[in-house]
Amino acid sequence: GTASDVVVPVTTPFRNCVFNATGIQTADLVEYALPHDGNSGAYAALLNRISITATQYSLTSTDSTCNGFAASVGPAFVNQASVALAAALRPPLEAVTLGESVCPLQ
């Protein structure tokens, strides 16, 4: 997926900074437990794992001093955003997929 214009407020030891995250590209991994459904197929029994990883992004600030912190702030932003996004996506994914049959096993 992609996203842009995410505002990221950060407190540093020297000043408060506001970054704009743009050009965010993500990769995702969704892993289900798919046991046999007793009818020549499988069903989504459990969403084992959902993982979102930012593969590309840019952090910039209108404050030139803050821009010097962008490289050190970036990894924390990516980690926190990835965890929050995965947590937000889990309930709607589970609502429409758990208990549903998937392709026949042949």
Side-chain angles (χ1 to χ4, degrees):
T2 62
S4 282
D5 300 323
V6 176
V7 176
V8 184
V10 175
T11 300
T12 72
F14 309 105
R15 67 174 51 203
N16 293 332
C17 297
V18 176
F19 294 94
N20 189 33
T22 59
I24 303 166
Q25 295 184 11
T26 61
D28 58 81
L29 170 68
V30 179
E31 183 180 285
Y32 287 91
L34 299 169
H36 183 37
D37 68 1
N39 193 25
S40 301
Y43 71 99
L46 174 70
L47 178 54
N48 285 334
R49 177 172 46 155
I50 179 169
S51 173
I52 310 292
T53 304
T55 57
Q56 184 176 335
Y57 67 94
S58 175
L59 285 180
T60 57
S61 176
T62 56
D63 182 327
S64 60
T65 302
C66 289
N67 277 328
F69 297 114
S72 61
V73 168
F77 160 72
V78 167
N79 184 55
Q80 290 179 14
S82 297
V83 169
L85 186 55
L89 288 175
R90 179 178 282 277
L93 277 174
E94 288 178 334
V96 298
T97 59
L98 290 188
E100 296 296 319
S101 291
V102 292
C103 57
L105 299 174
Q106 295 180 0

